[in-house]
Amino acid sequence: MSFIFITLLIDVTGLGIIIPVFPRLIEQLTGGNISQASQWGGILTVIYAVMQFFFAPIIGNLSDKYGRRPVLLTSLVGFGIDYLFMAFAPTIWWLFLSRVIAGVTGASFTTASAYIADISSPEARAKNFGLIGAAFGLGFIIGPSLGGLLAHFGLRVPFFVAAACCLLNALYGYFVLPESLSKENRRQFEWKRANPVGSLTHLKKYPSVLGLMGSLVLVYIAAHALQSTWTYINIERFNWSEQKLGYSLGVVGAMTFLVQGVLIRYINPKIGNEKSVYIGLSIYALGMLAFAFANQSWMMFVFMIPYCLGGIAGPALQAILAGHVPRNEQGELQGALTSLMSLTSIIGPLVMTNLFAWFTKPDASIHFSGAPFLLGSILLLGSALIAYSVLKNEKEKVKEETTQLSFEETKV
């Protein structure tokens, strides 16, 4: 777990470094304003997501055949090349090419999730999946803060540093990261399962898995209210600098680390995965709603508290899903989840960035830059309702089968 945590931490730090400067780089390459930059940003995210949608199931299935280690290292090298393309980009089209490369090879979180499922007992899964969020949180303390500082030396400097982080991470992993999937738990690669439709079709034999995936889809789309528009909204609403954007994401990272790296280890064993999902999604929705109507800069920092506390839901939902699937199909499950996440990363950025652009354009009849957060809050409440319905039906079905079995035993 320590090896995979450090690998993910370095990976996320590289991602976080570029976030504060990415809108300004797009503005520089396109000659547009921040509203137009948000639309370009949304399209670039979609390009990456489309590639991930098609290639994540292939990567997941390859990791079930060849192991997690080689797939993870390849992914890190791909991200390093992606950042170098961004650093040297003379036109916006170079950014498109870099996103294609990253989308084809990028599977670090998919493989890391399968890696964690390989080495975790059912009881420890939620807290171990929480380490992904903890690495994400700590990386977002270091990355955006460092990116904001590096921006003083030029818009391109953070991209060079991000590339160095990923390539050094691959080197680190090559020497110290052990393989988690033993040869007896591997399976043959099958093209019919190594595609988005095939992997989801195969998972149909686990009805609750598909239902909970539906809940997760809404969470992923809602998350893009922050992931795709946080920088644009706070530049437009409060005129935040690159440094303040970096610090704000650093605070989000610190809180995420505390919740998913520390708090979840105490809360989850006490209340269980199911209650963690319901309570987490409800608090998450409240945080999004508060962001939508914040009218003072300091409010965005205060409202991070409920938003980040909602982070107890994700690892719990992931643990429930992983518990429904055998060891030699964890890569396929995580590949299918990444494929779905990629599909939502096609929908989410387009919806959220265009919603922001629509409500902030000069001739907008209603000026409301918080519209993406409001939609995100509604989607999270919908996700909680779907999860409740699926898990309730599963319990009733188990109870029915137990009663029937008991009846038959009594009859015998």
Side-chain angles (χ1 to χ4, degrees):
M1 288 305 303
S2 59
F3 288 143
I4 203 71
F5 176 78
I6 293 168
T7 298
L8 287 174
L9 173 61
I10 299 171
D11 196 16
V12 176
T13 300
L15 174 66
I17 284 171
I18 72 165
I19 289 176
V21 295
F22 202 48
R24 297 300 186 195
L25 178 64
I26 295 172
E27 277 188 304
Q28 184 187 86
L29 293 175
T30 61
N33 58 34
I34 195 67
S35 184
Q36 292 165 329
S38 74
Q39 290 178 300
W40 279 106
I43 294 167
L44 286 165
T45 305
V46 167
I47 293 291
Y48 172 78
V50 168
M51 294 297 105
Q52 279 273 283
F53 177 69
F54 288 109
F55 284 91
I58 296 174
I59 298 297
N61 276 267
L62 284 172
S63 79
D64 280 342
K65 177 176 171 59
Y66 296 108
R68 318 301 184 201
R69 186 176 180 273
V71 173
L72 187 56
L73 296 180
T74 303
S75 167
L76 294 173
V77 171
F79 272 123
I81 295 169
D82 166 42
Y83 293 136
L84 285 174
F85 265 85
M86 289 183 178
F88 288 109
T91 68
I92 190 72
W93 304 113
W94 274 52
L95 300 189
F96 279 83
L97 181 58
S98 75
R99 294 283 78 192
V100 169
I101 294 168
V104 170
T105 61
S108 54
F109 280 89
T110 304
T111 315
S113 298
Y115 193 109
I116 289 169
D118 291 338
I119 63 174
S120 301
S121 64
E123 300 77 27
R125 273 197 185 118
K127 68 178 184 180
N128 286 346
F129 276 127
L131 279 180
I132 296 179
F136 200 90
L138 193 55
F140 264 69
I141 298 170
I142 303 165
S145 303
L146 183 59
L149 291 172
L150 290 171
H152 282 298
F153 302 100
L155 278 179
R156 309 295 179 113
V157 174
F159 295 93
F160 285 111
V161 176
C165 280
C166 281
L167 295 174
L168 287 172
N169 195 3
L171 193 63
Y172 164 81
Y174 180 79
F175 287 107
V176 302
L177 189 70
E179 179 55 64
S180 66
L181 189 66
S182 59
K183 289 188 177 179
E184 60 269 22
N185 285 324
R186 298 183 189 182
R187 63 177 178 82
Q188 288 301 309
F189 180 86
E190 299 175 63
W191 277 109
K192 66 180 180 181
R193 291 167 64 173
N195 62 81
V197 176
S199 60
L200 290 173
T201 302
H202 181 73
L203 291 169
K204 273 173 68 178
K205 65 182 179 182
Y206 311 112
S208 294
V209 168
L210 291 182
L212 291 171
M213 278 181 166
S215 175
L216 211 51
V217 162
L218 294 186
V219 174
Y220 288 151
I221 295 174
H224 278 283
L226 187 139
Q227 292 172 15
S228 297
T229 64
W230 178 264
T231 51
Y232 303 105
I233 286 172
N234 287 304
I235 289 171
E236 193 277 340
R237 192 187 274 179
F238 305 119
N239 197 31
W240 282 5
S241 66
E242 286 86 355
Q243 288 72 38
K244 193 160 187 178
L245 286 167
Y247 298 147
S248 73
L249 290 168
V251 173
V252 171
M255 290 185 182
T256 303
F257 174 74
L258 287 173
V259 171
Q260 298 198 20
V262 181
L263 200 60
I264 197 170
R265 293 177 172 267
Y266 298 97
I267 292 177
N268 188 270
K270 288 183 179 179
I271 66 175
N273 287 330
E274 194 173 332
K275 284 185 181 175
S276 294
V277 170
Y278 304 146
I279 294 170
L281 289 175
S282 301
I283 301 172
Y284 199 1
L286 181 64
M288 281 274 196
L289 187 64
F291 280 148
F293 294 99
N295 56 18
Q296 297 291 326
S297 188
W298 60 266
M299 290 181 179
M300 299 301 281
F301 288 90
V302 172
F303 297 152
M304 287 174 189
I305 297 170
Y307 174 82
C308 291
L309 281 172
I312 64 171
L317 194 51
Q318 230 176 335
I320 293 170
L321 279 163
H324 284 76
V325 175
R327 291 174 78 90
N328 66 354
E329 293 181 12
Q330 289 294 332
E332 181 176 33
L333 170 65
Q334 300 304 331
L337 287 175
T338 302
S339 189
L340 276 178
M341 185 166 66
S342 302
L343 183 60
T344 62
S345 294
I346 298 168
I347 300 164
L350 286 176
V351 171
M352 298 303 180
T353 55
N354 280 289
L355 197 60
F356 169 77
W358 177 265
F359 280 100
T360 58
K361 62 184 181 180
D363 59 341
S365 52
I366 299 173
H367 193 277
F368 181 41
S369 60
F373 289 129
L374 180 58
L375 177 59
S377 180
I378 293 167
L379 291 173
L380 287 168
L381 289 175
S383 174
L385 290 172
I386 291 172
Y388 175 76
S389 174
V390 170
L391 293 174
K392 184 185 175 186
N393 289 341
E394 185 179 56
K395 278 187 202 168
E396 287 175 355
K397 189 177 177 183
V398 169
K399 189 177 177 182
E400 220 173 88
E401 288 172 354
T402 305
T403 305
Q404 182 67 26
L405 183 63
S406 178
F407 173 76
E408 287 175 3
E409 284 175 351
T410 304
K411 192 176 174 183
V412 170

